[in-house]
Amino acid sequence: MKQTSFIAILLTILMLLLVMIAAVVFLVQRNQELTQMVEIQSSDQETMVEMSEDMATDLAVRQAALESAEATREALAGQITVDQERIQELKEELSQTESSLSQAESEIQDLAIQLFIFSPKDGAVVPPLEPVELFVAARSDAGIETIEITIDGEILVRYPSEGQPTSTIRTEWAPPEGEYLIEAVARDGDGRLSEPESVTIRAAFSTPAARTSALLRLTENEVIALRFPEPLETMVQPEVVEVNPDDLHQLLLTGRGVEESPFSDDDVLVLQALDLLPADTDTDDLINPAYDGTTLVYYDPDAEELTFYEPGDQPETFGRWVHIHDFTHQVLNETFQLDALEISSLDRDARSAVRALLEGEATYLQYLYAKGDYLEAEQQSEIFEGLSAAASNTMDDLPPYLQDEFAFAYSDGLLFVQSLHEQDGYSALNEAWLKLPESTEQILHPDRYRAGDRPLPVTIDPLGEDFENWRLVGEDVLGEYQLRQHLQALGLATNQIDQAATGWGGGRYVVYQNENNGDLILQLRLAWDTPEDSSEFAATYGTLLSQRYDGQGVALPGGDLCWEGEDATCLLTPAGDILIVRGPDLETVNAIVANQ
C-alpha cells in the first residue's frame, strides 16, 4: 500500500514536472512570437514613415506644379488680352489703309495722268555704293508710254511701258557718297506729261571704317571687271605645292622665303665675280625694304618714268589705287593657282621672267585704272600727287645693279604685259599664265615669247682634279637681262648693250673660290640664235676686255684671245658658243681652258 502511494506521488511529481516543462516551452515559444511581432511592427512603422515622407514630397511637387500652372494661366490670359488689343489695332489700320486706297483710287480717276515714287522715301539715308531700289508707278486712261527717272538731272533710265493704263518701273542704283535729287516723270498716250515727282536722299557711311571698306570693295570689283571681262573656262591645275603668299614676292626676287636672308655670302661672291657688286660689298649692305614689299615701284609707260615709293597712310584715292597692286597679286594667285609653282626649283632667269609677268600685270592694271573712266580728273591728279609725295629714296642705298634688278619686273614687265594685251587682249594674258615665260629674253622681246623661242640648255664642265682647293660658290642660268647688266657694269653704252645682247639664245655662269686665298674663277658660256649674233658679241666683248686690260688680247691657237693684268681673261668660241673664263692669273685660266 505504501509502495502504491509512493508510486502515485512519484507519478504526480512527474506529471507536474512535465506540466512545468510544457509551460516553459510554451513561454519560450510565445516570447519568440512576441519578439517577431515587435520586429514586424517596427519594420512596418519604418515603412509607414518612409511612405509618409514620400507622400509629403509628392504633395509639395503637386503644390508647386499647381502654382506654376496658375501662373501660366494668368500669363496666357494677359497675352490673350494683348493679342486681342493688337488684332483690334490691325483691324483699325486695315480700315484706314482701305480708306486711303479708296481715296487714292478716287483721286487717280479724277486726274488725267498720275505718278508716284514709292521708293526710296524722301529724306532717306542709304549706304553708299550699295543697291537702292527705285520704284515708280504711273497711271493714265490714255495709257502710259514712258516713265523716266533722273538723278540730279542726268537720265538714269527711260522705261517704255507699251501703253498700259497702269505701269510700274523697278530698278536699282548704287549711289556714291553724297546727296541726290531723284525725279520721275511719265508721258501718256496723248502726249501729256505728269507733274514731276521728286525725292531727296543722302548716301552716307555709318563710320570711317565702313567708308574705307566699301571703297576698297568697289575698287576690287572694278579691277575684277577690268581684268576678267569674260569668265574663264574651268582649268585643270597641277597638284598644289603650298607656298606662303607672303613669300611670293621674295621667292621670285631672290629664290628664298621671307624667313631667310635675301642674300648669302656666296650670292655676294657671285655678283662680285660678274662685276655687278663692288669688291668690298657684304650681305648687310644689301638688306633693304624692297625685299619685304615695303617699297613699291610704279612705271608710267606714257612718261617712261619709274618711281620707287612707300605708300604709308595716304589719301583715300591714292590708297585705293595702291591697293590694286596687291589685290591683283591675290586675284592672279587664286585664279591661276600660283601656289602650284615650285618657285624655288626655277632657275634665276625663269624666276625673273615670272616675277616680271606678275609685277608687270599688277602695275599695268594700276596704269589702266588711273587712265580709265573709273576716276574723276581730280582723283587722277590725287593719285599722281600721292605718288610724288610717297616717292622714296631708300633704294638709293642699294648698288645700281640691285636697283635695276628690282625695277626690271615693273618696267619691262609692264611693257611685256602691255604688248600682249594690245595685240590679243586679256585672253593673251590668261594664256601667258598658263604658258609662263621662261626667260628674261621673252620679257624683253615679247615677239620671242609669241614665237615660242625657248632658251637653249647650256652646260659648263666642272673643274678638273688639279683644282682641289677650289670650291663651287654658285652656278645658274645667265639670262639676257643679267647679261645686259654685266655689260653695263663693264662700261658698255646702252645702245651697244642692246646690239650686243640681242640674239641671246641661252647662257650659264659658274663661280669658284680658292679656299686658301679667296681668289675667284668665273666661267660664262653663251649660246646665240645665229652665228652672226655670236660673232657680233665676241667682237664687242673683246673690245671691252681690251679696255679693261688696257691692251689687245694675245691670240691662242685657233684664234681665241686672252688678256692678262691684275687677273686674266680668255674669250673662246667653242662650237659657235661664247666661253669667257676669268681667273687670278693666265696660268689658272689656261688650265681651265685646256680642260674644256
Side-chain angles (χ1 to χ4, degrees), residues 58 97 427 435:
D58 184 60
T97 301
S427 61
K435 183 183 178 183

Side-chain angles (χ1 to χ4, degrees), residues 456-469:
L456 299 172
V458 175
T459 59
I460 298 177
D461 294 334
L463 297 180
E465 296 178 355
D466 295 338
F467 293 86
E468 59 182 12
N469 293 326

Side-chain angles (χ1 to χ4, degrees), residues 65-245:
L66 181 61
E67 292 175 355
S68 176
E70 180 64 21
T72 301
R73 186 190 67 78
E74 293 176 357
L76 289 174
Q79 183 62 45
I80 289 172
T81 300
V82 171
D83 290 345
Q84 288 174 341
E85 292 175 353
R86 180 57 181 158
I87 289 171
Q88 184 61 35
E89 291 175 358
L90 291 174
K91 287 180 178 179
E92 292 175 359
E93 291 178 5
L94 179 60
S95 176
Q96 293 174 359
T97 301
E98 290 174 345
S99 176
S100 298
L101 287 174
S102 176
Q103 182 179 354
E105 289 175 355
S106 176
E107 291 175 354
I108 290 174
Q109 294 296 330
D110 293 339
L111 296 173
I113 180 170
Q114 187 70 12
L115 180 74
F116 298 95
I117 298 179
F118 290 103
S119 176
K121 298 297 184 182
D122 189 37
V125 179
V126 300
L129 308 177
E130 294 186 12
V132 174
E133 183 187 52
L134 304 180
F135 179 24
V136 178
R139 186 189 183 285
S140 172
D141 290 336
I144 299 298
E145 292 295 327
T146 61
I147 299 176
E148 182 179 279
I149 300 176
T150 62
I151 308 294
D152 289 343
E154 297 289 333
I155 295 176
L156 176 68
V157 62
R158 180 181 287 124
Y159 176 71
S161 62
E162 301 179 353
Q164 298 296 322
T166 300
S167 181
T168 61
I169 177 173
R170 289 178 182 266
T171 188
E172 288 186 342
W173 167 60
E177 190 176 16
E179 188 170 296
Y180 300 93
L181 175 65
I182 302 173
E183 293 183 295
V185 65
R187 181 185 297 273
D188 69 6
D190 292 336
R192 293 173 297 186
L193 292 176
S194 68
E195 289 293 327
E197 284 287 312
S198 65
V199 296
T200 299
I201 69 167
R202 184 166 62 92
F205 294 102
S206 57
T207 64
R211 186 174 192 274
T212 299
S213 177
L215 291 174
L216 285 180
R217 286 200 308 273
L218 171 65
T219 302
E220 290 173 356
N221 291 335
E222 290 171 336
V223 169
I224 290 174
L226 170 65
R227 176 58 180 84
F228 298 104
E230 297 180 1
L232 286 174
E233 296 180 1
T234 302
M235 296 175 294
V236 178
Q237 297 291 347
E239 181 180 355
V240 173
V241 178
E242 291 296 335
V243 175
N244 186 331

Side-chain angles (χ1 to χ4, degrees), residues 309-436:
Y309 66 100
E310 296 182 34
D313 295 326
Q314 293 291 338
E316 64 179 35
T317 301
F318 179 66
R320 288 163 53 197
W321 178 77
V322 171
H323 178 68
I324 291 173
H325 197 96
D326 285 339
F327 180 69
T328 300
H329 285 188
Q330 177 185 341
V331 170
L332 294 176
N333 185 28
E334 293 176 355
T335 303
F336 299 105
Q337 295 194 9
L338 304 189
D339 289 351
L341 296 176
E342 295 188 41
I343 296 172
S344 59
S345 68
L346 298 176
D347 63 66
R348 180 189 184 92
D349 196 47
R351 286 201 314 270
S352 295
V354 174
R355 179 171 172 266
L357 176 60
L358 178 67
E359 302 294 1
E361 180 162 344
T363 308
Y364 186 54
L365 287 180
Q366 283 184 288
Y367 166 76
L368 292 179
Y369 190 89
K371 300 292 186 178
D373 298 329
Y374 302 97
L375 304 171
E376 302 293 337
E378 59 270 20
Q379 291 178 307
Q380 292 177 337
S381 298
E382 182 183 328
I383 285 177
F384 294 104
E385 289 171 2
L387 187 63
S388 176
S392 169
N393 60 0
T394 58
M395 294 293 288
D396 294 346
D397 297 333
L398 288 178
Y401 151 71
L402 287 178
Q403 295 183 39
D404 293 343
E405 174 83 2
F406 185 77
F408 165 77
Y410 296 84
S411 54
D412 292 275
L414 181 146
L415 295 175
F416 172 77
V417 168
Q418 184 179 34
S419 174
L420 297 184
H421 178 252
E422 289 180 350
Q423 180 165 334
D424 296 308
Y426 287 108
S427 61
L429 298 184
N430 297 338
E431 182 64 25
W433 283 109
L434 300 178
K435 183 183 178 183
L436 293 170

Side-chain angles (χ1 to χ4, degrees), residues 462-470 514 521 587-588 590-592 594-595:
L463 297 180
E465 296 178 355
D466 295 338
F467 293 86
E468 59 182 12
N469 293 326
W470 293 82
N514 189 303
I521 290 174
E587 180 182 358
T588 302
N590 284 332
I592 297 171
N595 193 47

